[in-house]
Amino acid sequence: MIIAKTREEIALMRESAHVVSRTLGMLAKEIKPGVTGARLDALAEAYIREEENSIPGFKGLYDCPSTLLISPNAEVVHGIPKDIPFKEGDIISVDCGAIKNEFYGDHAYTFEIGEVDEATKKLIKTTKESLYVGIKQLKEGNRVGDVGFAIQKYCEQRGYSVVRELVGHGIGRKMHEDPEMPNYGKRGRGKKFIEGMTVAIEPMINMGAKRIKQLSDGWTILTADGKPSVHFEHDVAIVDGKPVLLSTFDYVHEALGITTNEEDEFRLDLTTLLQES
């Protein structure tokens, strides 16, 4: 069952999501050749607890041992942070969750470490663009398949493959709520979107084949062919029938010196939101 949120709850969820957004922005300044996943994980946990007065959302959830899930290169998602230095040319998906106001925030960004090859840059660009292509379909009256179809078409037309076994999800007082949000599908199929619903949309796109495998640690998922995979994720709500972002990459972009208007059409005006509630 999809759990619709009130305007006040959506405002609280935006605060939760922005804890994660600021954490990713802080980490963006630390991600460079020589840094380890374990170091980033320790920084993130301290920041969430001490600077944001919040609770890491992943640590302990389903017995997860870490605050971050860090997945380099051919790892798709759910990589456990290790004490191994990243090197020039690596890419890493950093997935982070936090609890504030009794609500979860959960999103991810794929970072380039130093100079990355052009083919991987194109995969990163396409995956990030596909996230917003999918978000545009999160409108009242549309269905789960509309989002998945849009992401799948955008990526496959550019020669990439979509992971099938891992999907986005509803989010709220629980990390995972209804509905599941695949990054593939058929238009007009699946559960219908309603006003006030909140979801995490997260394309996981491979340079090679769509097949994946899991390591013996029970967490790490990687591509079966060893080719790179990219992951981006946003928390999104439906307000007045349209998609609005609860999370933001603004803090990451500021840290990395990136200028973009990709989020502009999805921005949430909190003042207006609460005045109308």
Side-chain angles (χ1 to χ4, degrees), residues 10-11 13-18 21 107 171 198-199 234-237 239 244-248 266 268:
I10 289 172
M13 286 191 66
R14 182 180 182 274
E15 292 183 19
S16 307
H18 273 233
S21 301
H107 51 287
I171 188 169
T198 50
V199 299
H234 265 314
D235 298 339
V236 194
V239 178
V244 297
L245 286 177
L246 302 178
S247 53
T248 181
F266 308 113
L268 174 60

Side-chain angles (χ1 to χ4, degrees), residues 130 133-134 147-156 162 183 201 203 205:
S130 78
V133 167
V147 172
F149 175 85
I151 293 171
Q152 179 183 8
K153 180 179 179 182
Y154 192 84
C155 294
E156 289 184 348
V162 179
N183 299 300
I201 297 177
I205 309 301

Side-chain angles (χ1 to χ4, degrees), residues 21-80:
S21 301
R22 288 189 290 270
T23 304
L24 292 176
M26 177 275 294
L27 293 171
K29 301 173 185 177
E30 305 292 333
I31 294 174
K32 60 192 72 171
V35 74
T36 67
R39 170 64 175 162
L40 297 177
D41 189 62
L43 287 171
E45 180 169 1
Y47 180 84
I48 290 169
R49 292 188 188 278
E50 297 168 14
E51 301 298 325
E52 296 288 349
N53 194 29
S54 301
I55 301 169
F58 292 171
K59 195 166 188 177
L61 182 69
Y62 312 126
D63 295 324
C64 179
S66 56
T67 293
L68 302 176
L69 294 170
I70 302 179
S71 307
N73 303 320
E75 292 185 12
V76 181
V77 288
H78 300 169
I80 301 302

Side-chain angles (χ1 to χ4, degrees), residues 2 17 19 39 47 51 85 125 140 148 166 174 188 203 248 250 269:
I2 295 174
V19 170
R39 170 64 175 162
Y47 180 84
E51 301 298 325
K125 181 175 183 290
E140 186 177 12
L166 303 159
K174 295 182 178 179
T248 181
D250 284 352
D269 184 338

